[in-house]
Amino acid sequence: MTDPTATMTAQAEAVVRRHAARNFWLNVLDGGTFYLGLSMVSRFTVLPLFVERLSPDRWLQGLIPTINYTGWFLPGLFIVPLIAAMPRRKPILLTATLFERLPFLLLGLALILWPDLPGAGLLAIFFCCYAIHAIAAGFASIPWQDFIARVIPGTRWGIFFGLQSGLGGLLGIGGAAVAAWVLTAFPFPQSVGILSLICFGSMVVSFIFLAATVEPALPPQPAQPLTAFLRGVRPLLERDAPFRNYLIGRVGIALALIGHNFITALSLERFNLSGADVGGFTAALLAAQAVSDPILGGMADRWGHKQVLELSTAVGLAAILLALIAPSPAWFFVIFVLVGFSQAGYILSGFTLVFSFAPPAQRPAYIGVSNIVMAPIAAAGPLLSGWLAELASYEALFVVLMAVGIVSLGWMRMRVPRPAVKAALAEERVG
């Protein structure tokens, strides 16, 4: 008698093979155009400029990464128990990511139609829209990660993420030039409103590519109540010591690299910079990502994601050190090149490493546990960093974050083994 589960799995694998090239390139284009949209409202350059123009309070700068990271990590607590019972990830992914994109339409219209609102009112609108975007991104993140792991062969994850982010970086270089011109040619805050609308338009194109992806149905796992999932977190961490040590190291690295979010605010405070300068920083950041993403993706497939994460962390700490001692604005173009390289490697390998630790059937659970562990640092880390900058200075903050980063890098290097790579016997080609 034929096993229905085995039959369904075999049919799904046949669908993945048949549509491998289509899915690969559609999702490269999805990510590239999505990143192009985000480059218009970069959380490292444009959004800090927006907040700084409306308020001198440094802790508000910390609210940007707090919302971004908390929104990304925390909703996984609620979504993981649900998606295991779904044969496909695409329906819930498309629903969640729609709300990830709409806030930029609302923000753009608000800033253009009501530019004369008090600064506190504009900041309230911005942070509400950004929170909706971040929370929706969090609900989409685990379905999306498992969706990609289903439709892209595992031996191509590194080059896929590298090409996806690299295309986004290349498109973003042109986008940064547009952003620099818009910030200079139009009054504030309408200029940021225009960038938000361009961001939304690019994300609409991205949504079309994502919706065209072919995802096969796979045998669903039994639905797991939230309480049962939470009870399973500790046993999973206890029995999988390499994964546990990886999460400890990644928490410290994530905290250290929060410093990148304060570099623009430091440069604006230290030097008299214009919107064009911030646009130039964005171009440097995205150009570095465009060049390094495919290179790091290829390195990760051959050398290992753990090694790429360690390299990107070291480069990220070097960027913070240079920001600490930079004597002129010109230094920040080099600094943002390093930030671009570092963030490319951190995003590529920091997340993909989870796939390497997890058995395929438990991948959503591993992603969910990773998000739960990261959520507290995502919520508290940037706010505490902003509070420290307010209490002391950006320079004092950078010294503390560098110390945390060095210790965490050493932990990752010494305590986390390289995950086993489950490579196919024959090399796959993606046409």
Side-chain angles (χ1 to χ4, degrees):
M1 184 174 178
T2 305
D3 182 358
T5 298
T7 300
M8 191 175 185
T9 301
Q11 291 173 343
E13 290 173 350
V15 171
V16 169
R17 285 194 299 270
R18 185 162 63 249
H19 296 285
R22 169 194 173 105
N23 286 343
F24 185 94
W25 291 111
L26 278 174
N27 282 276
V28 167
L29 292 170
D30 160 43
T33 48
F34 186 84
Y35 292 144
L36 169 62
L38 287 182
S39 73
M40 297 293 171
V41 288
S42 170
R43 64 184 174 90
F44 294 108
T45 54
V46 176
L47 297 187
L49 171 68
F50 176 79
V51 172
E52 193 271 342
R53 290 277 179 88
L54 294 174
S55 174
D57 293 336
R58 293 172 177 173
W59 71 270
L60 287 174
Q61 294 288 343
L63 200 54
I64 298 172
T66 291
I67 292 173
N68 180 74
Y69 296 139
T70 305
W72 176 267
F73 290 118
L74 199 56
L77 178 66
F78 306 99
I79 200 70
V80 168
L82 298 177
I83 66 170
M86 298 177 181
R88 290 185 175 89
R89 306 298 186 244
K90 185 176 169 182
I92 191 171
L93 170 60
L94 292 179
T95 301
T97 197
L98 185 64
F99 290 94
E100 184 182 9
R101 297 156 204 258
L102 283 174
F104 291 107
L105 172 63
L106 301 178
L107 176 62
L109 292 175
L111 294 179
I112 290 172
L113 295 176
W114 303 299
D116 296 324
L117 286 177
L122 292 176
L123 283 172
I125 292 171
F126 161 67
F127 281 121
C128 284
C129 288
Y130 196 56
I132 294 170
H133 157 75
I135 292 169
F139 277 109
S141 66
I142 293 179
W144 177 75
Q145 290 174 73
D146 199 36
F147 172 79
I148 291 299
R150 286 172 169 225
V151 302
I152 305 296
T155 53
R156 309 298 291 172
W157 287 340
I159 193 64
F160 165 75
F161 284 115
L163 284 173
Q164 186 190 63
S165 300
L167 176 62
L170 284 172
L171 295 174
I173 294 171
V178 172
W181 176 74
V182 169
L183 289 170
T184 303
F186 294 90
F188 180 88
Q190 292 96 322
S191 56
V192 179
I194 293 169
L195 293 178
S196 297
L197 292 181
I198 298 173
C199 168
F200 174 72
S202 183
M203 287 184 170
V204 170
V205 176
S206 162
F207 185 89
I208 294 171
F209 290 130
L210 181 64
T213 303
V214 178
E215 181 198 14
L218 283 171
Q221 303 296 315
Q224 185 183 34
L226 177 59
T227 53
F229 169 71
L230 292 176
R231 284 197 301 269
V233 171
R234 182 173 178 179
L236 188 153
L237 293 175
E238 288 177 345
R239 68 174 178 266
D240 196 335
F243 181 57
R244 181 179 67 244
N245 287 336
Y246 155 72
L247 289 177
I248 293 171
R250 186 177 162 198
V251 162
I253 289 171
L255 180 58
L257 298 188
I258 284 171
H260 293 168
N261 295 276
F262 294 89
I263 290 177
T264 295
L266 171 67
S267 69
L268 291 170
E269 181 177 277
R270 190 181 293 173
F271 305 104
N272 185 24
L273 301 180
S274 66
D277 293 319
V278 173
F281 295 161
T282 306
L285 173 77
L286 294 172
Q289 287 182 324
V291 172
S292 56
D293 268 318
I295 295 173
L296 290 172
M299 288 174 59
D301 283 339
R302 293 165 177 78
W303 186 28
H305 284 283
K306 175 178 177 286
Q307 287 81 350
V308 168
L309 178 60
E310 291 168 353
L311 174 62
S312 63
T313 300
V315 172
L317 294 176
I320 295 173
L321 174 62
L322 291 180
L324 191 62
I325 63 175
S328 71
W331 280 50
F332 284 88
F333 289 96
V334 176
I335 290 166
F336 277 104
V337 167
L338 298 180
V339 170
F341 181 96
S342 174
Q343 288 294 322
Y346 175 76
I347 293 171
L348 168 70
S349 292
F351 294 105
T352 310
L353 259 175
V354 179
F355 299 168
S356 302
F357 285 107
Q362 293 183 271
R363 198 159 44 219
Y366 270 70
I367 297 171
V369 170
S370 173
N371 285 7
I372 289 171
V373 171
M374 296 295 294
I377 201 68
L383 282 179
L384 290 174
S385 297
W387 171 79
L388 178 57
E390 188 79 43
L391 187 66
S393 65
Y394 286 121
E395 289 81 2
L397 169 65
F398 285 4
V399 169
V400 172
L401 295 182
M402 281 183 58
V404 171
I406 291 170
V407 172
S408 301
L409 179 58
W411 176 275
M412 185 71 71
R413 182 70 179 168
M414 302 300 296
R415 299 297 298 272
V416 181
R418 179 181 177 180
V421 179
K422 300 175 181 177
L425 294 177
E427 186 181 49
E428 298 184 39
R429 287 189 64 187
V430 178

